[in-house]
Amino acid sequence: MFEEVIEKIREQVLNGLRSGAIREYSPQSFKSWARGRDVVTRGELAYELGKQNSALLILWGNAENRIYLSKESDGSLAVIVICDVVWDGLEKYECFRALRDAFYNLSLYGVTIRSLPSQLKVWLRVARRASEEGFSLGVLARAVNEAMNSLEFVRATDVIILTSRNEMDALKDAFLRAKKIIDALIKMHEEKLLNCEECDYRDVCSEIPELKMIRDRIKRQ
Amino acid sequence: MKIAVVGKGGVGKTTISAFLVSILSEKGKVLAIDADPAGGLSISLGIRVRRTLEDVRNEIADLIRQKYDKVEIASSIDYKLLEALHEGEKFLFLAMGRPEDEGCYCQLNSMLREAIEMVSGSFDYVVIDGEAGVEQINRRVMKSVEYLLVVTDSTRKGFQVANQIRSVADRAVKFKKCALVVNRVRGQPDVEAGNFDFVFLIPEDESVFRFDVEGKPLTDIRDSPAFKSVKNIAETLLFQGL
């Protein structure tokens, strides 16, 4: 479903690795972090990323439990999560919801993470105390990796965290495409009567084989 | 620790709330919630409100109309609630706003209340400046508070309303202790505690009146008779663990 999008993301990550703009790690390179749902205020802030210029993509595809972090940071934040999923009777929509819920339930001590799933936005605030105790984006990536891998149908998870506007701009089309696919998936499951001729998502539903299958199945029902 | 300040209109709830915010923010992280639709606490704290919880509620109601599921809505509430918090130098502020269509979204209201309760957990102190009654604290803000401060002036009507609030408080909101706060007191009146756990007196204070007339934030007052009395309330209730 997300092959084309993931290919573009991987291509950019590879270019980043070659130029040194992105570094690759294993999740174990970073420490595991205590849980706790915090509201970090401006007065406690070490740094803040995302909110306006942000992207949160939770996709499925091949993954090998790797973490990719960009070196440059200008306050932007893209969190891209690619989960290798075992499709053993699992429906695509069910999978999407479970992965999204796992991200929503991510609570880390000294850190505020908020996401707007329908707009694919993410907002991260890190408290000085957390930063001083060793919290980093690598630690966040490990926590995301662990949260996703704790789902029984997830084999492995790659987490890519980009923190510069340039890197995000280069993937703008891929982000929009992924959003459209996810929106189409949600819409198909929320509207039992499909009026495909007038639908804004007609293009992706016709192009993506998985969406086409779901659409045909719903129509048959 | 959560403190709700309630009482009849015009008895000085907002002044007391503002002083409490000012005093407690020297000791820890404070969330100030203006649950009075009239919205006076923001002025007393020197804040310009751009967004209220009511705005968040209306935006989320749109999501519900678009049939988004519970996690999508909960996640959006968390995000938008954080956006709606005004960040002062020493405290955070949340204005509830004026509810337009009360009761239309019962599930949403309870999700908003849960979100406020969850956010409150990150603060050392939560001060709620309430409307006249106590029911709306339960309905719109949170199910329980530690301290309920029922404010009155020296008028018979004020005491009457305070006693009415106390009599419904047990079933309206969960609390540990309930105090009667008599505001703008002249002299040393003899006030009986009755059903209240404590009684506190706050003297009439010219500087509060002057700041209100000039529209200056009450957080600038650091040494006035009323401020000292509220500090005494804070120390008695909170720091001595009564």
Side-chain angles (χ1 to χ4, degrees), chain B residues 127-139:
Chain B
V127 177
I128 304 160
D129 182 20
E131 248 184 309
V134 283
E135 294 90 344
Q136 57 97 23
I137 299 285
N138 178 324
R139 202 171 60 240

Side-chain angles (χ1 to χ4, degrees), chain A residues 37-44 51-52 54 93 97 100-101 104 112 114-119 121-123 125 186 190, chain B residues 29 63 66-72 74-80 82-83 85 87-89 92 118-123:
Chain A
R37 200 169 172 83
D38 266 331
V39 172
V40 176
T41 65
R42 202 166 285 164
E44 301 170 312
K51 195 180 178 184
Q52 296 309 325
S54 69
Y93 183 61
R97 284 179 51 150
R100 180 206 55 180
D101 296 0
Y104 171 66
T112 303
R114 295 287 186 269
S115 57
L116 273 182
S118 60
Q119 293 175 38
K121 279 186 178 177
V122 63
W123 181 7
R125 279 185 159 192
I186 294 169
E190 282 169 0
Chain B
K29 201 165 148 183
L63 284 183
Q66 290 167 41
K67 297 178 192 167
Y68 280 102
D69 69 19
K70 205 173 171 179
V71 169
E72 171 83 36
S75 180
S76 302
I77 287 174
D78 287 346
Y79 193 101
K80 287 170 188 282
L82 197 63
E83 275 187 325
L85 290 177
E87 300 197 52
E89 269 181 44
L92 268 70
M118 199 174 276
V119 164
S120 301
S122 292
F123 291 82

Side-chain angles (χ1 to χ4, degrees), chain A residues 150-204:
Chain A
S150 71
L151 299 170
E152 57 181 21
F153 59 85
V154 175
R155 243 189 314 234
T157 302
D158 287 348
V159 183
I160 301 160
I161 299 183
L162 305 176
T163 45
S164 86
R165 192 173 193 116
N166 287 342
E167 289 169 320
M168 287 174 63
D169 283 349
L171 286 172
K172 202 174 166 187
D173 290 342
F175 291 161
L176 290 174
R177 178 78 171 169
K179 183 176 182 335
K180 199 160 190 186
I181 294 170
I182 292 165
D183 286 347
L185 183 69
I186 294 169
K187 191 167 185 279
M188 274 198 282
H189 282 81
E190 282 169 0
E191 290 179 20
K192 294 296 173 196
L193 292 171
L194 302 181
N195 182 3
C196 298
E197 284 66 37
E198 290 176 15
C199 181
D200 292 340
Y201 302 102
R202 193 173 43 180
D203 54 345
V204 282

